[in-house]
Amino acid sequence: MKGALSVAALSLAASEVSGHYIFQQLDIGSTKGSLFQYIRKNSNYNSPVTDLKSNDLRCNVGASGSGTDTVSVKAGDSFTFTTDTPVYHQGPTSMPPGSAASYDGSGGWFKIKDWGPTFSGGQASWKLDSTYTFNIPSCVPDGEYLLRISQLGIHNPWPAGIPQFYTSCAQIKVSGGGSASPATVSIPGAFKDTDPGYTANIYSGFTSYTVPGPSVFTCSGGGGGNTGGSNPQQPAPQPTTTLRTSTTAAGSSPTNNPGNGGGSGGCSVAKYGQCGGNGYSGCTACASGSTCSATNEYYSQCV
């Protein structure tokens, strides 16, 4: 079986654009991969994808199977995506014909993991790390897959700002699997500018969150909707030849007030976090050693 897997996480390439990040390394269990050995290398450095209708939403700009190795993995084994710079934008993270190397991702995808926010005392907490680890579902059929990880940054609230997808795809060959047939979605098409998780404003009345995209597939089924921290309900199985994993993330991270912003009083923004811009109502004071610099009228960051 050939297919496409998608998880939720973060991604972007090198570091010519300040303040962004990219998933550039895939490890299988304790076996370390080198930079872009198993991950398709993109051509837009560490810049995000913002066009919901673009095929670049699948694996990033210019990312093809040319020169990328395909790594063998057993169903049920763990994998880890690593970024060049730790993720700092608040938001959720979510984990074919021919070989994986020749597959363009135009078939179906299904999601196997979301890292959503948790809410406590009126504030949201996100998993903002440089590594994201999960397991290949034990029930997926043997075959070659694209394993996608993506983060959606919503630190520039829609519609004044445009949410940002940080996405990467790894090429894997699964063995020892099962016979599951998860329901799938297409990319582009899985995310819409009317999705609550796409239009959410983390600086105003932010008390709940629904991760964009399909529900999370699990071999055993169950789970809740794809809101903060829980595994969404498994969709009804349908015949498919592809699998996928996807990540989503939102907003920049003030050090003392993640989630609601609320001006500069009593809080500060970590280096490379957002500190201003049209429509922004979060912290405006930067952590010691950095200053707030305007990139454009909608976005300023601590550098």
Side-chain angles (χ1 to χ4, degrees), residues 31-49:
T31 302
K32 300 289 186 182
S34 57
L35 299 185
F36 296 107
Q37 180 179 1
Y38 307 122
I39 292 179
R40 294 183 172 187
K41 189 170 184 178
N42 59 311
S43 60
N44 63 337
Y45 303 106
N46 66 349
S47 297
V49 177

Side-chain angles (χ1 to χ4, degrees), residues 166-199:
Y166 296 86
T167 301
S168 289
C169 288
Q171 298 174 183
I172 65 172
K173 183 175 182 179
V174 176
S175 63
S179 57
S181 295
T184 63
V185 298
S186 296
I187 299 176
F191 312 103
K192 300 177 176 61
D193 61 10
T194 55
D195 291 340
Y198 186 86
T199 61

Side-chain angles (χ1 to χ4, degrees), residues 1-2 108-110 141 179-185 236-243:
M1 176 172 180
K2 310 292 194 298
W109 297 78
F110 66 85
S179 57
S181 295
T184 63
V185 298
Q238 296 177 1
T240 179
T241 59
T242 60
L243 308 176

Side-chain angles (χ1 to χ4, degrees), residues 208-227:
S208 64
Y209 186 80
T210 300
V211 179
S215 298
V216 170
F217 166 80
T218 63
C219 292
S220 60
N226 47 343
T227 53

Side-chain angles (χ1 to χ4, degrees), residues 44 48-62 104-105 109 148 165 167 186-191:
N44 63 337
V49 177
T50 58
D51 185 353
L52 293 178
K53 297 180 180 179
S54 173
N55 289 341
D56 293 332
L57 275 180
R58 295 169 185 165
C59 295
N60 215 330
V61 179
D104 64 358
W109 297 78
R148 176 181 182 268
F165 286 86
T167 301
S186 296
I187 299 176
F191 312 103

Side-chain angles (χ1 to χ4, degrees), residues 15-296:
S15 57
E16 289 202 3
V17 179
S18 175
H20 292 162
Y21 36 81
I22 183 169
F23 291 94
Q24 59 182 5
Q25 180 178 335
L26 178 74
D27 302 331
I28 301 299
S30 60
T31 302
K32 300 289 186 182
S34 57
L35 299 185
F36 296 107
Q37 180 179 1
Y38 307 122
I39 292 179
R40 294 183 172 187
K41 189 170 184 178
N42 59 311
S43 60
N44 63 337
Y45 303 106
N46 66 349
S47 297
V49 177
T50 58
D51 185 353
L52 293 178
K53 297 180 180 179
S54 173
N55 289 341
D56 293 332
L57 275 180
R58 295 169 185 165
C59 295
N60 215 330
V61 179
S64 72
S66 178
T68 306
D69 294 339
T70 298
V71 62
S72 295
V73 56
K74 292 182 179 179
D77 281 358
S78 69
F79 61 87
T80 300
F81 279 97
T82 301
T83 60
D84 58 341
T85 300
V87 173
Y88 60 85
H89 289 320
Q90 295 180 45
T93 297
S94 307
M95 288 236 90
S99 66
S102 63
Y103 182 49
D104 64 358
S106 58
W109 297 78
F110 66 85
K111 187 190 294 185
I112 62 175
K113 176 65 177 175
D114 277 332
W115 284 275
T118 58
F119 294 87
S120 177
Q123 295 185 348
S125 296
W126 306 85
K127 176 177 169 58
L128 304 179
D129 291 321
S130 59
T131 60
Y132 290 80
T133 299
F134 199 59
N135 295 74
I136 301 296
S138 60
C139 60
V140 301
D142 293 357
E144 294 191 7
Y145 296 91
L146 292 180
L147 181 63
R148 176 181 182 268
I149 190 167
S150 177
Q151 182 200 29
L152 174 62
I154 57 172
H155 50 292
N156 294 327
W158 175 264
I162 301 177
Q164 302 173 348
F165 286 86
Y166 296 86
T167 301
S168 289
C169 288
Q171 298 174 183
I172 65 172
K173 183 175 182 179
V174 176
S175 63
S179 57
S181 295
T184 63
V185 298
S186 296
I187 299 176
F191 312 103
K192 300 177 176 61
D193 61 10
T194 55
D195 291 340
Y198 186 86
T199 61
N201 187 333
I202 62 171
Y203 309 114
S204 177
F206 189 61
T207 58
S208 64
Y209 186 80
T210 300
V211 179
S215 298
V216 170
F217 166 80
T218 63
C219 292
S220 60
N226 47 343
T227 53
S230 64
N231 282 341
Q233 186 173 7
Q234 174 183 355
Q238 296 177 1
T240 179
T241 59
T242 60
L243 308 176
R244 74 156 174 103
T245 321
S246 173
T247 306
T248 311
S252 66
S253 176
T255 56
N256 292 331
N257 192 12
N260 289 331
S264 60
C267 66
S268 63
V269 181
K271 190 174 183 179
Y272 302 129
Q274 185 177 8
C275 56
N278 188 15
Y280 175 76
S281 59
C283 298
T284 57
C286 294
S288 177
S290 60
T291 58
C292 190
S293 176
T295 301
N296 53 51

